[in-house]
Amino acid sequence: MIILGVALLSGSLLIGTFIGGLLGNLLGVDANVGGVGIAMIVLIVSTNFLARSGRLSPATSSGISFWSGMYIPIVVAMAATQNVVGAVTAGPTALIAGAAAVIVSFALVPVLSRVKTPGVEAPVEEFAGER
């Protein structure tokens, strides 16, 4: 069912938000630190696990695909609520953290592109079209 894909995404977001809040408290910041990114990592890992075990149905995949199309506007809306000017003027930490995240992400692209799921030849999005 499509609702299972949405439930998987919602569970990932709740886990990411919780861990991001814990990180914020640990760092002494009154904010969620990286919750959305952590949620996406949880979603990717759980989707990959379900695909490898053969339990990711096409309908569940279509629920995930639907919300992945909404991901960029949601992240833009969340970023609009952050106090970027306050973070940048408080010191170079925000700029260094942002630059480090971009560099690590670019460095991991070749590594992640080589990861294959045994028995799965097509990306998850292509499963959504099959019925």
Side-chain angles (χ1 to χ4, degrees):
M1 298 172 80
I2 292 174
I3 194 74
L4 293 177
V6 176
L8 183 63
L9 182 71
S10 300
S12 299
L13 182 62
L14 289 174
I15 291 168
T17 302
F18 178 74
I19 294 173
L22 286 178
L23 282 174
N25 287 336
L26 193 77
L27 295 172
V29 178
D30 188 26
N32 183 325
V33 178
V36 175
I38 294 168
M40 293 313 297
I41 291 170
V42 169
L43 179 65
I44 291 167
V45 169
S46 61
T47 303
N48 192 18
F49 173 76
L50 290 173
R52 286 178 188 248
S53 65
R55 293 187 287 176
L56 185 66
S57 70
T60 302
S61 177
S62 69
I64 295 169
S65 296
F66 170 75
W67 282 105
S68 68
M70 294 296 294
Y71 177 69
I72 292 174
I74 290 170
V75 170
V76 169
M78 290 178 73
T81 64
Q82 301 296 316
N83 186 356
V84 176
V85 175
V88 172
T89 57
T93 306
L95 295 174
I96 293 169
V102 169
I103 291 168
V104 169
S105 297
F106 282 152
L108 286 176
V109 168
V111 174
L112 294 176
S113 66
R114 284 183 249 144
V115 175
K116 301 284 184 197
T117 302
V120 178
E121 300 300 321
V124 173
E125 294 86 30
E126 292 186 23
F127 290 130
E130 298 175 12
R131 303 248 177 207

